[in-house]
Each structure stands twice: as structure tokens, then as C-alpha cells.
Amino acid sequence: MSIVITGATGHFGNRVIQELLKTIPASEIIASVRNVEKANALAELGVEVRHGDYMDYESMKTSFEGASKVLFVSGPDSDNTLRIRQHANVVQAARDAGVKHIIYTGYAFGETSQIDLAHVHMATEYAIRSTGVSYTFLRNSLYSDVFIDESLAGSVAAGEIVTNTGDGKLNAVSREDLALAAAAVLTGEGHENKSYNLVNPSPWTFDELAGVVSEVSGKQVSHKKVSFNEMKDYLGNVGLPAPVAELIAGIYHSVATGETGKTSNDLTNLIGQPTPLKKLVQQALKV
């Protein structure tokens, strides 16, 4: 059995490989990467490294040769139309290379989602279905480390976390937990032609996050609720470029409207309980 991981030098793809190495030989793992030189550390572990660029069909097809399974990690390009074209290259290459099973990292509850990135993921899922190749759709939540990171130290210093999320809930999960789930599917049986919504079974609000940050830091931290425009201004004032401020405020708005409140037990069924909120905050604050 050979398993190809695309985007293997990225945080998620690399993490999946580290998990796979705990249970299967390195000789069964192939890293498909755009820049081979950046994958030296993987090569040193005994993982075969192949060149694969999402914009280059032939390189992707070559990188998939002999693979029984492919973990297709979605591309990071911010141009959604270009991203769909890249994904189509990968899907066509997997089909033409004779891959038996495509495991794709999509977006949770994509069919009913109102955010733009969901359209990319659903288009990719339909493309994969059209090949007739067995599939598993790992519909990932938003990453918890997008919201819980080193910037929390600044929130502790200021005594407040500022968002326009209102009372919205987040079903976010850490990349590490999602990588565990991907590794479990890649090495397990019975996952063909199934879709999993990999979200937190216990969604949390930013009010709850502020309470946990207060507990962990020993300093009272509140959640300050602001409007969309106030959030953009706030982010601009702390130095973020206008497009980034708009993006973040937009993500927060989607939380406020219930986009990230749905839940599922799919992740728990694959890996057990995900990392608790308190531990994520401790990791972010390094305490």
C-alpha cells in the first residue's frame, strides 16, 4: 500500500505524515510537494518525496503513480476560481493515475454553508464524485488556532477580547486533531464513499473563551462585542492591512450568524474527544 499526501510541507499535510509514521512504515508514504527542497526533513525520515504542483496536471499525475490512496489537502490560494481549477487538475490526475481512493479535506456542512470558501470545496467534492473513484470527504471545521493563538497574550494584557461574533458558537478544532482524524481514515477500513463533518462536539462562544483565558491567565479578561465596521476599524488600528481586517471581520460575522454552530460526533467517533478548550488556551499562552 502506498499513500500519497499532497501539500506535504504545509502544516496540516506534514502533521498527517508524522501521525502516519507512528503506525505504518515510511516506505509506504509518499509526499507530493511543490518545492522538493523544502521536504528534506521528510526525505530524511525515509518518506519518498515527489514533485507535484496543483497548477501542473502532469506533475500531479506523476506524483500519484502507484498510489492506492491519496490525501488531497485543499490548496491555499485566495482566488477561489483559480483554486477550483487547481483542484480539478489534482482530481483529474488522481483519476488518470489509477488512484483507488481519494480522501479530500473539505469544509464542514458545506452544502448549507453561506461562506465563499464552501463553494470551492463543494465543487471539488462533485469533481471527485464524477471520477467514479472511491472517496472520503473530511469536512474540516475552521481551525481553532485561527482564533486561539499567541495573540491571546495581547488580549490578556488589554483585559479584553474584541470580536464581532456576538453570541455565536464555534465548532472549531485544532489542526492536530484533524490530522489525527485524517491518519485514522488513511489507515483504517470502511471509509469509502463517506463524508465526515469533523467539528467540535461542544461548540464554544467567545464569552466562554474569555472565561477560560481569565482562568488560565489569572487575570480578568472580558469579551467585548462590537459591530462589523467597528471590528474592521479595530483591526486596522492594530496594524492589519484593510483586506485582512475585512477578511477577519467577515469570518467573525459568519460566526455571529450561526455558520459555525452546527455539531457532529464524526470527529469523536474517529479519534475520541478533541483537545479541550482549556488546553488549547494553555498552549497558546504557553502556561
Side-chain angles (χ1 to χ4, degrees):
M1 177 179 71
S2 291
I3 298 174
V4 175
I5 311 296
T6 73
T9 52
H11 184 107
F12 183 79
N14 187 277
R15 184 61 183 162
V16 173
I17 289 178
Q18 301 307 319
E19 291 300 328
L20 289 175
L21 287 170
K22 296 177 182 178
T23 56
I24 65 175
S27 58
E28 295 183 8
I29 304 171
I30 298 167
S32 174
V33 299
R34 186 169 60 178
N35 188 332
V36 173
E37 292 180 358
K38 290 185 177 181
N40 288 337
L42 292 173
E44 290 173 359
L45 293 173
V47 174
E48 181 181 350
V49 176
R50 296 178 180 174
H51 174 247
D53 186 330
Y54 288 5
M55 286 297 294
D56 182 351
Y57 160 82
E58 290 294 342
S59 74
M60 293 308 305
K61 182 182 176 184
T62 300
S63 75
F64 291 154
E65 288 180 358
S68 53
K69 296 180 181 180
V70 165
L71 175 64
F72 172 15
V73 179
S74 58
D77 202 287
S78 60
D79 183 329
N80 287 336
T81 304
L82 176 60
R83 198 176 181 193
I84 290 173
R85 193 191 328 159
Q86 293 172 339
H87 285 192
N89 278 337
V90 177
V91 173
Q92 182 183 357
R95 180 200 66 186
D96 294 350
V99 172
K100 304 302 182 186
H101 188 179
I102 301 171
I103 296 92
Y104 172 68
T105 61
Y107 179 65
F109 305 105
E111 305 100 318
T112 57
S113 173
Q114 299 301 309
I115 64 176
D116 288 344
L117 71 85
H119 301 312
V120 175
H121 292 301
M122 294 311 299
T124 306
E125 287 191 11
Y126 287 125
I128 292 171
R129 289 177 191 270
S130 76
T131 65
V133 177
S134 293
Y135 63 83
T136 306
F137 298 142
L138 304 179
R139 295 173 169 173
N140 292 342
S141 65
L142 295 177
Y143 297 144
S144 58
D145 52 271
V146 171
F147 309 95
I148 305 172
D149 59 16
E150 294 178 353
S151 68
L152 276 184
S155 297
V156 171
E160 61 183 16
I161 299 173
V162 182
T163 80
N164 57 305
T165 57
D167 297 320
K169 292 187 175 182
L170 263 169
N171 54 20
V173 179
S174 72
R175 293 179 214 240
E176 285 70 22
D177 287 337
L178 294 171
L180 281 171
V185 169
L186 286 164
T187 56
E189 301 293 335
H191 300 293
E192 291 83 357
N193 302 327
K194 293 184 178 179
S195 300
Y196 299 124
N197 289 299
L198 303 181
V199 299
N200 198 321
S202 301
W204 45 269
T205 67
F206 270 83
D207 286 346
E208 292 173 300
L209 175 61
V212 174
V213 172
S214 298
E215 177 188 353
V216 171
S217 68
K219 180 179 178 180
Q220 184 60 38
V221 178
S222 63
H223 175 213
K224 182 178 179 180
K225 301 172 185 177
V226 299
S227 70
F228 177 83
N229 287 330
E230 288 171 331
M231 191 71 225
K232 287 198 300 181
D233 291 342
Y234 173 84
L235 294 170
N237 289 336
V238 298
L240 293 182
V244 177
E246 178 119 15
L247 174 64
I248 294 174
I251 292 173
Y252 284 160
H253 178 71
S254 70
V255 175
T257 58
E259 170 75 32
T260 58
K262 294 180 182 179
T263 191
S264 161
N265 288 320
D266 289 345
L267 181 63
T268 306
N269 292 338
L270 287 171
I271 70 167
Q273 287 296 317
T275 306
L277 182 58
K278 182 175 180 179
K279 185 172 182 180
L280 293 174
V281 171
Q282 290 173 326
Q283 291 172 343
L285 292 178
K286 296 181 171 58
V287 296

